[in-house]
Amino acid sequence: MKTGVLLSGGMDSISLAWWKKPDIAFTINYGQLAAAAEVAASTSFCKHLSIPHFVLDVDCRALGSGDMAGAKANIHAPASDWWPYRNQMLITFAAMKAISLGVTHLWLGTVRSDGSHSDGTIEFVNAISGLMSLQEGGLTISAPAIELSTRELIQISGIPSDMLAWAHSCHKSNVPCGNCRGCNKYFEVLGEIGYDLDRLR
Ligand SMILES: [Zn+2]
């Protein structure tokens, strides 16, 4: 078994990687506004843990929606941070590289609250894993933290606060805007688990 993780540099995927220690990590610059910060956070984290890290650049800006793309929301958007087929897209790009490296299992940092989007549900993960396993490479997709809240994942992972502070969660900018769904979640969760927010801001 050779494992890979889809690492966005946000606190969910960073905590998952700390917890599960994958063999390889993949970060995708798909044209999201915060790509540079996500790549920087993921790169620092992987360097610190000596995890081989692949950054894939695939410009999908023209196909984005809402906050992450700096575009008008698509008519189907259930929330401001929705991007059409985002997880399906990211999994496919990571998988294209992963099977060339012999990866057999690809992990997603999906947590319980992601279930508000259809591509954050257990049904979605099972379906896309089934779809991948039908194809060359026989990749299995799983989301080990899908039944946990972000807070529970952080606690179970045992990630130290100075590592978590590297996470980049803003959807709109490389410098945290302090007022998007990603930033709100970041500060809410850190407050919940009792980290010193003034030190991190
Ligand atoms: Zn923000």
Side-chain angles (χ1 to χ4, degrees), residues 96-140:
M96 289 162 79
K97 183 69 186 174
I99 61 164
S100 73
L101 299 167
V103 171
T104 56
H105 291 73
L106 184 65
W107 291 325
L108 314 177
T110 307
V111 294
R112 197 167 60 216
S113 60
D114 294 326
S116 62
H117 292 181
S118 304
D119 65 1
T121 60
I122 292 172
E123 291 75 16
F124 169 81
V125 175
N126 290 341
I128 199 148
S129 186
L131 185 62
M132 288 290 175
S133 68
L134 283 176
Q135 299 172 76
E136 291 78 0
L139 200 61
T140 297

Side-chain angles (χ1 to χ4, degrees), residues 46 51 57 60 72 89 93 114 141 150 173-174 194 196:
C46 288
I51 298 172
D57 293 305
C60 296
K72 217 171 120 244
M89 169 185 82
F93 291 148
D114 294 326
I141 311 293
T150 294
S173 164
N174 289 310
D196 180 355

Side-chain angles (χ1 to χ4, degrees), residues 29 31 39 64 70 72 82 84 99 108 119 131-132 135 162 169 179 181 191 193:
N29 169 5
V39 168
K72 217 171 120 244
W82 183 84
I99 61 164
L108 314 177
D119 65 1
L131 185 62
M132 288 290 175
Q135 299 172 76
D162 56 342
S169 300
N179 192 32
R181 279 166 60 96
I193 53 182

